[in-house]
Amino acid sequence: MPRTTDGDGTPVPQRLLAAATRLFAEQGYDRTSVQEIVEAAGVTKGALYHYFGSKDDLLHEVYARVLRLQQERLDAFADSDEPVEKRVRDAAADVVVTTIDNLDDASIFFRSMHQLSPEKNKQVRAERRRYHERFRALIEEGQRAGVFTKESPADLVVDYHFGSVHHLSTWYRPDGPLSPQEVADHLADLLLRALRP
């Protein structure tokens, strides 16, 4: 099947993901049918199954695309020549901004992750673990260099920060008093204060 687009040039996979994300956010994953997704995307079921093997695959991709973006950005921060404290702060702020920018995707995922197939669930956990391990390695680098305290285990520091990130969807509102960058700066600064010797 060719990679067809609609009138504005949006490829079918992106149309399907946009429709699924909106419907999963509005109705919940379990209450959204494949038929509703294809109707909202303006495609056939055959088109959906060409690009995604199942509704489960759509749910996985909703989160995986955000995680891929965050992993690429974390790798760029981690590999830069900046001082470790700046790399950690930049990475800590970035994961907040990218999560807020994709808040529907993140909230859908955390609400519905348990509904993924065991294989997909295992795959997502491995992808998240890779991200967390890279972030933890940055903190450990700072601890070895004496920039960060060793009193708090790096694993606990990572869990502390990502616990805050994972709860953004429960309280952050776009029309609230803080912009995504302001929230990111506050949380990154809290993390760095906890890490300073």
Side-chain angles (χ1 to χ4, degrees):
M1 176 186 282
R3 203 176 160 107
T4 56
T5 59
D6 63 11
D8 70 358
T10 306
V12 169
Q14 279 76 10
R15 286 163 54 196
L16 285 163
L17 277 168
T21 300
R22 182 175 56 78
L23 290 167
F24 293 166
E26 289 172 2
Q27 304 175 177
Y29 171 78
D30 53 342
R31 291 185 302 279
T32 300
S33 70
V34 168
Q35 187 61 39
E36 288 172 306
I37 295 168
V38 297
E39 285 176 7
V43 301
T44 64
K45 281 188 180 178
L48 183 145
Y49 291 122
H50 175 75
Y51 293 104
F52 301 98
S54 64
K55 191 172 85 160
D56 188 58
D57 287 346
L58 274 168
L59 176 60
H60 175 257
E61 185 58 23
V62 162
Y63 186 63
R65 64 183 172 174
V66 178
L67 195 53
R68 279 193 302 273
L69 167 71
Q70 291 175 333
Q71 185 71 57
E72 288 169 13
R73 293 176 64 84
L74 174 59
D75 289 342
F77 291 125
D79 293 337
S80 80
D81 294 329
E82 297 287 349
V84 68
E85 185 170 357
K86 179 168 179 14
R87 287 183 282 144
V88 167
R89 190 193 188 287
D90 289 349
D94 183 74
V95 73
V96 174
V97 170
T98 54
T99 297
I100 291 174
D101 285 348
N102 297 280
L103 207 53
D104 275 351
D105 304 52
S107 61
I108 288 163
F109 182 76
F110 288 113
R111 244 186 1 238
S112 308
M113 181 181 171
H114 67 281
Q115 294 174 306
L116 283 173
S117 68
E119 179 185 319
K120 288 270 189 273
N121 199 304
K122 184 178 177 184
Q123 183 181 345
V124 167
R125 288 182 184 280
E127 291 162 357
R128 285 180 62 200
R129 188 168 44 255
R130 178 175 172 255
Y131 184 93
H132 286 205
E133 286 171 355
R134 187 81 200 259
F135 196 92
R136 185 187 67 218
L138 269 178
I139 292 169
E140 290 171 337
E141 179 186 337
Q143 289 175 326
R144 285 192 304 275
V147 176
F148 299 146
T149 181
K150 292 182 181 177
E151 287 182 25
S152 300
D155 280 336
L156 189 60
V157 174
V158 171
D159 288 344
Y160 163 77
H161 186 65
F162 287 101
S164 300
V165 172
H166 296 162
H167 281 94
L168 285 167
S169 64
T170 64
W171 66 267
Y172 181 79
R173 298 292 171 262
D175 58 352
L178 296 174
S179 71
Q181 190 60 56
E182 287 171 325
V183 173
D185 289 338
H186 283 303
L187 291 178
D189 289 342
L190 280 169
L191 177 66
L192 285 182
R193 281 201 290 276
L195 284 169
R196 287 195 183 103

